[in-house]
Amino acid sequence: DTAVSQTPKYLVTQMGNDKSIKCEQNLGHDTMYWYKQDSKKFLKIMFSYNNKELIINETVPNRFSPKSPDKAHLNLHINSLELGDSAVYFCASSQMTGGQPQHFGDGTRLSIL
Amino acid sequence: GNSVTQMEGPVTLSEEAFLTINCTYTATGYPSLFWYVQYPGEGLQLLLKATKADDKGSNKGFEATYRKETTSFHLEKGSVQVSDSAVYFCALMRAGGTSYGKLTFGQGTILTVHP
């Protein structure tokens, strides 16, 4: 009974393709996040949704489009993939109020050929 | 803006050595502070947290104290094990307002413990 699960775990594709990463949480949290971890392990937030509403949208290319069909799911679609998109993408969830910590998925390693 | 600075890695220690990983932060107001650990091939796991000045977070033998006067949250462990080898991240969450629970991370410190 994984708390935050992402699929796929690995994604290898060619430049120019479009791909999606899915995330689901069963913790009953109201907020979900996408983070990007680069090759130097640096983590940066990309998006956040609270109860299906976009609340954080950092400086991310328009090719990245998050979608939250309900508060337990947050998907990330990437158009026209570029070499620089190669990274590990982490989904996380939390209950927004009270400074609660975030729970992370195991990550999706995206490699662009 | 908010920022977190961790000591440069990688850190290499022998088993049973004392560990300190320095973390300092810049933030307005009174943020919550966290240490996360990432084992190879896995996601981040919360190691410990502190939500106000002078709070001490502790877990699995690790400790960190929220020091507002020095804006620091250094991670310590008295005796490390090989199984502690991982990447450690210090992070802050600004309180209230438009923070929306956003975490700002330090750059991560790679720890390797040899038998």
Side-chain angles (χ1 to χ4, degrees), chain A residues 19-33:
Chain A
K19 291 293 178 185
S20 292
I21 307 171
K22 296 186 176 182
C23 179
E24 176 181 2
Q25 56 96 2
N26 63 5
L27 296 167
H29 290 158
D30 61 3
T31 307
M32 297 184 72
Y33 310 81

Side-chain angles (χ1 to χ4, degrees), chain A residues 9 31 33 35 37 40-43 45 48 55-56 58 90 94 96 99-107, chain B residues 32 34 36 38 41-46 49 51 87 89 93 98-108 110:
Chain A
K9 191 172 175 66
T31 307
Y33 310 81
Y35 288 85
Q37 185 176 45
K40 296 183 178 177
K41 303 290 186 184
F42 186 71
L43 276 155
I45 192 165
S48 177
I55 55 172
I56 295 175
E58 296 290 296
F90 286 101
S94 72
M96 186 190 294
Q100 296 303 309
Q102 294 174 19
H103 295 253
F104 283 77
D106 284 342
Chain B
S32 294
F34 305 86
Y36 280 85
Q38 183 179 24
E42 298 183 13
L44 279 74
Q45 300 175 26
L46 178 68
K49 71 172 186 176
T51 57
V87 184
F89 292 92
M93 181 188 300
T98 56
S99 68
Y100 301 122
K102 172 183 168 182
L103 282 172
T104 299
F105 285 93
Q107 68 268 41
I110 299 172

Side-chain angles (χ1 to χ4, degrees), chain B residues 44-104:
Chain B
L44 279 74
Q45 300 175 26
L46 178 68
L47 184 57
L48 52 86
K49 71 172 186 176
T51 57
K52 61 183 188 297
D54 299 325
D55 265 2
K56 178 186 280 188
S58 60
N59 186 25
K60 300 181 182 179
F62 291 89
E63 292 183 340
T65 301
Y66 189 145
R67 301 282 189 205
K68 187 158 178 62
E69 63 276 11
T70 54
T71 61
S72 65
F73 193 54
H74 304 322
L75 182 68
E76 296 182 338
K77 186 175 185 183
S79 176
V80 293
Q81 305 301 311
V82 172
S83 57
D84 293 327
S85 298
V87 184
Y88 292 81
F89 292 92
C90 185
L92 71 82
M93 181 188 300
R94 189 166 59 86
T98 56
S99 68
Y100 301 122
K102 172 183 168 182
L103 282 172
T104 299

